[in-house]
Amino acid sequence: MSADNKPASSRAGMKKQLPEKFINYKHVWVFVELERGEVHPVSWELLGEGRKLADKLGVQLAGVVMGPPAATTRAAVEGSYRYGADTVYLMEDPLLTDYRNEPFTKAMTDLVNTYQPEILLLGATTLGRDLAGSVATTLATGLTADCTELAIDDEGSLAATRPTFGGSLLCTIHTLNFRPQMATIRPRVMAMPEAKDGEVSGGLIEVPLNMKEDDVITKILDFIADNTTNKAQLAYADVVVAGGMGLGKPENFKLVKDLAEVLGAEYGGSRPLVQKGWIDSDRQIGQTGKTIRPKLYIAAGISGAIQHRVGVEGADLILAINTDPNAPIMDFAHLAIIGDAMTILPALTEAFRKRLS
Ligand code: FAD
């Protein structure tokens, strides 16, 4: 662990004592999250990251696809090749139609026990978090949640880095004595890799689930989609406008919403705004909120504390609006307007309204 927010580069003093039963564990696996026919994009982001780890280790990269016998499941297999998987482990079974912890945990633990991967990555989504925890406990192995960086150290061990102590430190965690080494990574933390064009193919290992509906105690009676129209879609938005405490009072947050509307953007804010009830919690940006990677991020009245920074620094262009030229956000913003957000936000809204109408 290092206090300067840099991952520790060595694990001197820690001894690798991998038991005999784990020495054949090899290859990097990524869980391809398929829900109601759609692959969560974090799966492709993780295949991109998994490719780098597999290349460093000189091993294969595999996607793990679990779903019902359906064209959408087969499309997830093809997508896995397109985003870099050499091989796909496929479990197709009607029990894997909607996510339930028991069949998915059995499917994954059976695959791991049979085919023995050394690294297993999952998205830190609602589904991925649930599955990762139960798979890690069933296999009695280590899991590092919400990683911000993954690397292979000099001894071939996964170095999984995540913020700790409220984000004031980064710690790098190793699973030295157990396999697989598991990690979850939030959507948008890793960059989306280029998809391969044209025909794609790879190895396919189809494995039966061997489970009956009677063995599953959870029953899905109905599925009610959350169609709330104002639900935040921050993680994958191209443009995000956000406000912070510099807005002074809750009424001024409307200026952020107005600019977002004109730009066809999503809006969000810093954590104190959620704590004060100015915005919903699913609009919080940062370490304990959403990680975003928009083409343009406009931050008005946000100081740029480290917990906010880690959630936005993947943006292509960051524009800070702040009265303080020495605010921490100036260290990572690409452009800045030094001035009062209450004057600048309406001026931008007006200018874009004219230009875009
Ligand atoms: P402030 O730090 O108060 O900054 C306000 C800024 O507005 C200042 O830079 C000021 O110069 C500027 N300003 C003032 N008046 C104006 C004006 N008229 N016009 C323009 N600018 C003006 N924070 C997050 O955002 N996301 C997280 O996920 C998150 N997670 C956290 C997790 C933990 C465990 C902890 C301990 C903290 C976390 N925080 C998080 C909080 C974080 O440390 C900061 O306190 C927070 O980001 C500060 O919010 P702010 O920038 O809106 O407010």
Side-chain angles (χ1 to χ4, degrees):
M1 201 184 288
S2 65
D4 58 357
N5 265 311
K6 295 226 166 57
S9 56
S10 97
R11 53 184 173 89
M14 286 190 275
K15 255 210 168 127
K16 186 169 173 176
Q17 290 172 331
L18 194 61
E20 188 76 15
K21 64 178 177 175
F22 292 128
I23 56 171
N24 291 326
Y25 277 59
K26 207 172 165 189
H27 306 307
V28 177
W29 285 15
V30 170
F31 171 62
V32 178
E33 181 176 325
L34 187 60
E35 209 179 8
R36 304 191 75 78
E38 300 244 340
V39 174
H40 195 297
V42 72
S43 313
W44 308 144
E45 294 160 17
L46 296 190
L47 279 172
E49 195 62 20
R51 179 79 268 162
K52 294 181 209 155
L53 302 178
D55 288 349
K56 178 96 195 277
L57 287 164
V59 300
Q60 285 206 345
L61 173 67
V64 180
V65 175
M66 301 168 178
T72 46
T73 307
R74 293 288 164 160
V77 172
E78 193 199 309
S80 303
Y81 300 139
R82 209 165 278 294
Y83 284 97
D86 303 306
T87 303
V88 171
Y89 292 88
L90 172 65
M91 275 211 185
E92 271 183 317
D93 193 290
L95 262 61
L96 300 170
T97 302
D98 285 309
Y99 178 74
R100 286 178 291 172
N101 181 273
E102 291 161 281
F104 276 75
T105 299
K106 174 172 162 45
M108 185 62 93
T109 51
D110 281 359
L111 284 174
V112 167
N113 285 328
T114 309
Y115 296 99
Q116 308 186 334
E118 60 194 299
I119 292 173
L120 172 57
L121 309 178
L122 300 93
T125 57
T126 310
L127 190 163
R129 284 184 168 140
D130 186 71
L131 181 62
S134 64
V135 167
T137 38
T138 308
L139 295 169
T141 189
L143 164 65
T144 309
D146 283 352
C147 298
T148 51
E149 199 179 325
L150 299 174
I152 302 295
D153 78 359
D154 295 345
E155 293 179 47
S157 168
L158 178 69
T161 301
R162 57 153 300 150
T164 188
F165 290 113
S168 53
L169 294 175
L170 291 175
C171 65
T172 299
I173 297 174
H174 296 261
T175 297
L176 296 180
N177 303 336
F178 300 92
R179 290 291 180 269
Q181 304 157 89
M182 289 181 61
T184 62
I185 300 94
R186 286 195 298 172
R188 296 305 248 166
V189 168
M190 303 299 177
M192 179 66 78
E194 287 279 313
K196 290 179 192 160
D197 285 333
E199 283 271 298
V200 285
S201 63
L204 182 63
I205 298 168
E206 295 187 58
V207 184
L209 177 63
N210 291 328
M211 197 177 194
K212 298 190 295 297
E213 179 60 43
D214 289 348
D215 301 331
V216 188
I217 53 170
T218 319
K219 305 296 172 198
I220 295 182
L221 306 180
D222 197 3
F223 180 85
I224 302 162
D226 182 358
N227 290 327
T228 326
T229 45
N230 65 357
K231 205 166 181 290
Q233 302 295 340
L234 281 169
Y236 290 92
D238 278 342
V239 182
V240 176
V241 184
M245 288 307 291
L247 294 175
K249 50 185 181 185
E251 300 81 77
N252 288 339
F253 195 79
K254 185 174 178 307
L255 303 177
V256 168
K257 283 184 172 174
D258 289 347
L259 179 56
E261 194 188 332
V262 167
L263 293 174
E266 279 286 350
Y267 68 89
S270 61
R271 184 161 98 151
L273 271 57
V274 174
Q275 289 168 326
K276 287 177 177 292
W278 296 12
I279 56 171
D280 290 341
S281 59
D282 69 343
R283 295 200 177 268
Q284 181 186 321
I285 298 168
Q287 183 197 311
T288 42
K290 297 267 166 58
T291 300
I292 59 172
R293 270 181 183 271
K295 295 195 174 97
L296 172 63
Y297 177 53
I298 301 176
I302 293 180
S303 59
I306 181 66
Q307 296 90 352
H308 190 82
R309 177 177 181 162
V310 294
V312 303
E313 59 191 352
D316 292 345
L317 187 70
I318 299 174
L319 167 64
I321 303 171
N322 202 304
T323 43
D324 179 4
N326 298 314
I329 197 164
M330 302 305 167
D331 293 343
F332 59 96
H334 304 97
L335 296 171
I337 302 177
I338 307 299
D340 181 2
M342 269 58 75
T343 310
I344 291 159
L345 283 171
L348 286 176
T349 305
E350 213 29 55
F352 281 116
R353 207 190 298 280
K354 280 194 191 131
R355 207 182 163 91
L356 299 172
S357 63

